[in-house]
Amino acid sequence: MTDPSPIILDCDPGHDDAVAMLLAWGNPAVDLLAVTTVAGNQTLDKVTRNALGVARAGGMDGLTVAAGADRPLVGPQLIPEEIHGESGLDGPALPAPDREVDPRHAVDLMADILREREPGTVTLVPTGALTNIALLTRMHPDVVDRVRQVVLMGGGHHTGNMTPAAEFNILADPEAAALVFDAPWTVTMCGLDVTHKALATPHFVRELTEIGTPLAGFVAELLEFFGASYTRERGYPAPPMHDPVAVAAVIDPTLVRTVAAPVAVETRGEHTRGMTVVDLRRTFDPEDPSSLLVRDTPGAVGAAGAGGTVEGTTATSPRPRPCGTGWPWTSTSRGSTGSSSTRSAPSGPPTWGDVTGGPAPPTPAGPRAPVDTPRRCRPANGGPVDNPPARPPVVRPVR
């Protein structure tokens, strides 16, 4: 039996963040060293209170919780209250905290842990805005090369959820995301292409309820509220488990297969701010034009969804920077569960690496994906809501 992988979970609870916390604490394949919070799904005070309540509900004795950035690097905070509610964790009654927040800033706590541990052993798992992780690269640059990898939930290479182009965690702080993708470490991007296929179905929620324990009931209530929000706001039949996907990718990297691709974060576009621009021009697949037809490499780190291994593709380093773009070079996985992207600092001369792969991903059966509607995301400072103008509906393609 291998030793558990030590991780720091940087999150903004949030219903799916709460499930990610419980998964990270309860699975023996990972060692949850600390939970750090960042303003995102609600204000910093609220998400930190939620993290403390989830820690108590899950019996996470001895777990360190530290609060981090209370706003993005640039601009006001955006809060998706229509999804997570006024508290950020509406639904079940949250138990009162049974511990104090660590007095250190989240970024300083991360740096302390990374200096205490052997280099290359600790994985950072951000499931909220990337403000804390970006600040780590600037405030403690000496620890960047001590990080084993960054496995994040955010972005996507086909679609957004807050705008047609941008996923919430990236849109919440695009400048921070750009810094994180540009840093000299390995990044795995578990995007919407994956997480929108990892659904907590009503059948699964019923099974949770039937377990009959207080914790199972707590999670079931979380998912019921989360599911109702997604059905009301976005027409989904069940809520996506965005953040647990990133934790699952650390628990079992064989759940997916990945392929290298450059990723840049758009910070200035009028209609595309917060978009993760994934360069898949070197790809071809009659089923999915952004997919590679290559031979599979086992053991690649990627994104996971419910229901087993992702049918997809993998490429290994050394990796080129195509056409002199200077974009961060990443890997991206495609398939029945979706996609992720992994970035590594290029090593050696810019030559196409050992590219391997498997069969083309099948086209999933089932109903068409729901129609996008404008998001109602309000500034944290209570300012006016900046709803996008009415536009014709955009239908996501069937994958």
Side-chain angles (χ1 to χ4, degrees), residues 182 262-263 321-329:
D182 285 344
V263 172
R321 292 177 181 268
C323 307
T325 61
W327 284 7
W329 188 256

Side-chain angles (χ1 to χ4, degrees), residues 76-78 376-387:
Q77 182 188 355
L78 299 176
R376 298 195 300 275
C377 195
R378 68 171 179 83
N381 61 11
V385 175
D386 183 18
N387 284 327

